[in-house]
Amino acid sequence: MFNKIKPYEVIYGELIGPGIQKNYTYGHKEHHFVLFDVKKVQEDGSLIWLNPEEVEAYAKERGFDFVPVLYKGPFNKEFTKTLTEGPSVLAPSQKIREGVVIKSRYEYDNEQSKKALKWLGEAYLDQKDTTDFH
């Protein structure tokens, strides 16, 4: 993974696989990294977040798996809740989806404007295995 990133780039992602996320494997026998965000340090030291399209292109260019995008558009609470349930998009044989990450459409020019949250599905939260801290 370290060979895929350049100096002054910071990547954000999630490890998935056995022993993580209530022991859901997401189809992997070992831990596996999935990218969801990137920021870069500029020459003046300021930080720049890549927008969602740039992050997806970065993932493809560098050979990272990228989290699936389920929807782009105005926020609708009722619709978004439906996206938190159902089988995993990463591994459909896994019958419970962990949830979704919601990002606001914002200017990606500084640390203060970054807004994102993770909405966990009720079926996921109802599971008794507590291998994570949700």
Side-chain angles (χ1 to χ4, degrees):
M1 182 177 349
F2 291 111
N3 296 331
K4 295 180 180 183
I5 59 175
K6 296 179 181 176
Y8 305 104
E9 295 177 341
V10 182
I11 61 171
Y12 296 84
E14 189 165 4
L15 281 178
I16 59 175
I20 306 172
Q21 291 102 346
K22 299 187 187 259
N23 210 28
Y24 293 172
T25 65
Y26 293 96
H28 295 278
K29 294 181 180 179
E30 297 180 356
H31 291 167
H32 183 77
F33 180 79
V34 183
L35 182 77
F36 60 75
D37 240 331
V38 177
K39 73 179 169 183
K40 294 184 176 185
V41 181
Q42 302 300 296
E43 289 183 19
D44 67 359
S46 64
L47 301 174
I48 282 269
W49 289 95
L50 299 187
N51 69 42
E53 292 78 18
E54 292 169 330
V55 175
E56 192 167 2
Y58 177 98
K60 288 177 184 174
E61 174 189 311
R62 302 297 175 86
F64 288 108
D65 284 341
F66 184 67
V67 296
V69 176
L70 304 182
Y71 170 73
K72 291 181 182 181
F75 178 74
N76 176 297
K77 184 177 178 180
E78 291 76 28
F79 174 70
T80 303
K81 183 175 179 5
T82 69
L83 297 175
T84 68
E85 303 300 335
S88 167
V89 177
L90 284 173
S93 62
Q94 185 175 294
K95 298 302 178 197
I96 296 177
R97 185 175 301 168
E98 185 179 343
V100 297
V101 173
I102 303 163
K103 294 182 182 180
S104 63
R105 204 61 194 171
Y106 52 84
E107 294 300 319
Y108 287 76
D109 61 353
N110 66 58
E111 191 88 25
Q112 289 74 33
S113 66
K114 179 75 172 159
K115 295 177 185 173
L117 63 91
K118 188 170 187 177
W119 189 344
L120 298 174
E122 290 181 33
Y124 177 80
L125 290 170
D126 286 343
Q127 297 296 301
K128 300 297 181 216
D129 185 351
T130 57
T131 57
D132 57 22
F133 296 100
H134 293 137

